[in-house]
Amino acid sequence: MTSSIGSVASLAARAGGSVVRQVRSAVDPTAARPAGGGQPASGWLVVTVFGDQSDVDTARLPAPLAEFGEQIEVRVRPAAGGKGTELGARLRTQPSGSALGRLTGSDPQADLRSALRRAKQLLEVGEVLAVDPAPHGKRTATPGGALLEAWTRVAPKAGVR
């Protein structure tokens, strides 16, 4: 009996710590990242595409990146070790990211990060892969379920933090 209470307490502590870290990273993105692991000063976001450099045409970008138009710069170069192609993009003007903007989901840098991931999928697979939707119907509202639902709504924009 005591071990089950201990494991529940341990799970609750880990979940609480995770929530605190996520909120702190939304308010101050540098707080949750290790030293040197923050956003590069250059602002370039890069994905490695499995394919030749000739497969990526900067004049005809995949739709997710093309939507940004002249707001972004794009570069294409060989990936390290000959393992594909690096597709990089950055905003021409660095937005002044506010905590409120990140919490409400209006973060241009996060939008660009998401667009890069979708462009990578389009170039490699030909479509943007999606997870099966959650089952429909009435579910009992729980604090954990509400938190999961909230994070699921913003997950496509957030990326890995």
Side-chain angles (χ1 to χ4, degrees), residues 26-29 91 93-103 106-109:
V27 173
D28 180 13
L91 295 167
T93 58
Q94 293 299 321
S96 57
S98 69
L100 181 60
R102 285 189 296 277
L103 287 172
S106 62
D107 183 7
Q109 193 76 3

Side-chain angles (χ1 to χ4, degrees), residues 1-158:
M1 184 77 138
T2 307
S3 66
S4 65
I5 292 173
S7 63
V8 168
S10 174
L11 270 170
R14 279 186 274 156
S18 178
V19 169
V20 168
R21 280 189 299 281
Q22 292 294 332
V23 169
R24 283 183 59 201
S25 72
V27 173
D28 180 13
T30 59
R33 294 189 176 100
Q39 188 69 21
S42 66
W44 285 101
L45 299 171
V46 180
V47 293
T48 301
V49 178
F50 183 69
D52 293 329
Q53 192 171 349
S54 61
D55 295 340
V56 182
D57 182 9
T58 56
R60 293 188 38 191
L61 293 171
L65 289 176
E67 290 173 2
F68 281 89
E70 294 296 317
Q71 296 176 344
I72 61 170
E73 295 178 63
V74 177
R75 73 176 178 203
V76 177
R77 63 183 185 188
K83 300 196 188 247
T85 302
E86 282 187 356
L87 173 61
R90 72 175 171 183
L91 295 167
R92 290 188 188 274
T93 58
Q94 293 299 321
S96 57
S98 69
L100 181 60
R102 285 189 296 277
L103 287 172
T104 59
S106 62
D107 183 7
Q109 193 76 3
D111 293 340
L112 179 57
R113 187 180 316 112
S114 179
L116 259 175
R117 282 195 314 272
R118 292 191 316 267
K120 172 186 168 69
Q121 291 179 15
L122 284 170
L123 290 167
E124 291 180 343
V125 184
E127 65 179 310
V128 176
L129 305 174
V131 177
D132 291 335
H136 299 292
K138 181 129 176 83
R139 290 183 286 242
T140 306
T142 63
L147 183 61
L148 180 62
E149 293 284 334
W151 281 111
T152 302
R153 279 192 301 275
V154 297
K157 296 179 86 173

